[in-house]
Amino acid sequence: MSPRIPDTHAEAWVLLPWLANGRIEAVDREWVEAHVATCAECRAEAAAQRMVATQMNREGSLLPDSAATDEQRSFNKLWARIEASESLAVPVAGTNLTPRVARGSRAVRWLAAAVVVQALGLGALGMSSLRGDGGDYKTVAIPAERLGAPAVRLVFEPAASINTINTLLTHQGLTIVSGPGDAGNYAAVLSANAVASGATAEAVADVLRKDPNVSFAEPVAR
Amino acid sequence: MALKSVEIQAPRAANPLNDASERELLDRIARAKDQAAFRTLYGNYYQRLSRLLARMSVRHEDIEEVINDTFWVVWTKASDFRGASQLSTWIIGIAYRRALNALRRAKLRPVSDQPFDEDSISVGSTDEQENNQQWLSLGLERLPVEQRMALELTYTLGHSCEEVAAILDCPVNTVKTRLFRARETLKQVLPALAGMSGEHS
């Protein structure tokens, strides 16, 4: 059966963008080119679309010098997220991912850090500020159910700038919902988008612990 | 329309590597969780997706999040890719849908549409190409995002009509209609370019 040859102006007209970008279907190329050769209006339109394509490509080629740096930095963030997520999963045989520190020992280490941070906070406040409530990050002692989303409690390094903290929170999909507490502690919840992407409070806390701007991070128990 | 015929620069190929090479990278990711293959694939798409998302009016500071969400899916679902379409179609389609969903939820606030300000075009410039480009940028901002994407995928990323339909998850005829309307809208802007050139030459 011979292919249909719809040598009409209207049908050729809608295919001109793909004639311009060189990706028109082979079955259409011959008849469209034949039509354009005899149609002044289509020739002008094809030339106009080539100009649009050229201008759009020219604009796309003007990339800032920072593009390569941005790409590597972005990839590093993604890879940290993947590592954090996979550290919670059963290792896959034959993978070339870096072995992770056992979670148990890390948890102990960070619990110890939490005690130090808490002690420093309490010391700064003085004994008079103690109100007998245990002083255990009381401003973020919000039940997880009330937070409505997976959450972490965290303490930033004193030298961390606002911009650094904002960047850190944004990249992990976190929003602060409470704090600062007496020891500089905050509670932050994961965005719906981050949760949809597979992020968990445990994984995000793991990533935050590796960040030099964070002195303490733990998931809020649910 | 008084537009000059110009020598076209061939649009970038839909894939900088051929599809087979990229599938090999994906296979290494699926089988061996190969970080080097993943990094290469990420690099192949970073600029393309950055540009596409910017064209969708995703804010600069949010683009990285959408790209990384996309490649999170590539990493975790690499073994699910069955090869029914080109790999680029799959990856760009994921990014497109992620960005659309995010914009719809208003989590990522779109860059507000700028009023069409003809005075912002530096008509005194002797660089006609530069003037054309400024007019085109303003014209593109006037298009609905679906039409803008059809143009971007066709002219900048060099996809066929069928590939654009797969990425945008719509029928081929819808792609043709979107491009047809986009072209009509741009014509309302581009004749002004010719008029301005005439007045100020």
Side-chain angles (χ1 to χ4, degrees), chain B residues 11-29:
Chain B
R12 280 189 303 210
N15 290 305
L17 298 176
N18 62 43
D19 193 56
S21 297
E22 292 197 339
R23 284 183 192 225
E24 187 181 321
L25 293 173
L26 190 75
D27 188 50
R28 283 162 55 190
I29 295 166

Side-chain angles (χ1 to χ4, degrees), chain B residues 127-191:
Chain B
D127 187 340
E128 185 181 5
Q129 211 169 30
E130 186 181 330
N131 280 346
N132 286 353
Q133 196 152 342
Q134 290 181 58
W135 279 107
L136 180 63
S137 294
L138 286 173
L140 289 170
E141 286 176 13
R142 289 180 132 188
L143 300 176
V145 66
E146 293 83 2
Q147 292 179 24
R148 233 181 298 155
M149 286 305 94
L151 268 179
E152 183 75 17
L153 291 166
T154 301
Y155 285 155
T156 307
L157 298 187
H159 285 285
S160 70
C161 183
E162 289 71 19
E163 289 165 356
V164 175
I167 290 169
L168 301 181
D169 195 22
C170 66
V172 164
N173 281 340
T174 302
V175 173
K176 291 176 180 173
T177 302
R178 286 177 182 174
L179 263 188
F180 179 85
R181 289 179 178 157
R183 288 155 62 189
E184 292 301 307
T185 303
L186 288 180
K187 276 180 198 163
Q188 295 169 15
V189 176
L190 295 174

Side-chain angles (χ1 to χ4, degrees), chain A residues 79 92 94-98, chain B residues 32-36 75:
Chain A
W79 192 250
V92 179
T95 66
N96 62 352
L97 296 177
T98 311
Chain B
K33 292 292 181 188
D34 187 328
Q35 183 186 3
W75 178 260

Side-chain angles (χ1 to χ4, degrees), chain A residues 12-18 20-25 28 44-45 47-63 67-68 70-75 77-79 81-82 85-86 92-97 170-171 173 191-194 196-199, chain B residues 1 3-12 14 32-35 38-39 42-43 46-47 51 55 60 64-65 68-69 71-72 75 86 98 105 107 127 129-130 132-133 136-137 140 151-152 154-156 158-164 175-176 179-180 183-184 186-187 190:
Chain A
W13 186 266
V14 299
L15 293 176
L16 290 178
W18 294 282
N21 83 350
R23 295 297 311 279
I24 192 168
E25 291 289 304
D28 293 322
E45 174 68 2
Q49 293 310 308
R50 288 189 185 101
M51 191 210 77
V52 172
T54 301
Q55 293 293 344
M56 289 180 73
N57 275 281
R58 183 169 179 261
E59 186 185 359
S61 67
L62 304 175
L63 295 170
D70 289 347
E71 180 186 320
Q72 186 58 49
R73 198 193 62 226
S74 296
F75 182 79
K77 285 175 195 159
L78 173 60
W79 192 250
R81 180 175 157 194
I82 288 170
S85 170
E86 297 198 348
V92 179
T95 66
N96 62 352
L97 296 177
T170 301
H171 288 156
S191 69
N193 200 36
S197 300
Chain B
M1 186 164 63
L3 285 171
K4 292 181 181 176
S5 177
V6 294
E7 286 296 316
I8 187 170
Q9 301 167 348
R12 280 189 303 210
K33 292 292 181 188
D34 187 328
Q35 183 186 3
F38 187 56
R39 178 67 185 89
Y42 186 91
Y46 184 84
Q47 295 302 342
R51 183 192 161 90
R55 198 65 99 187
H60 177 75
E64 176 187 280
E65 182 181 341
N68 282 359
D69 283 351
F71 270 83
W72 174 273
W75 178 260
Q86 284 205 349
R98 291 246 155 196
R105 285 198 309 270
K107 178 178 182 297
D127 187 340
Q129 211 169 30
E130 186 181 330
N132 286 353
Q133 196 152 342
L136 180 63
S137 294
L140 289 170
L151 268 179
E152 183 75 17
T154 301
Y155 285 155
T156 307
H159 285 285
S160 70
C161 183
E162 289 71 19
E163 289 165 356
V164 175
V175 173
K176 291 176 180 173
L179 263 188
F180 179 85
R183 288 155 62 189
E184 292 301 307
L186 288 180
K187 276 180 198 163
L190 295 174

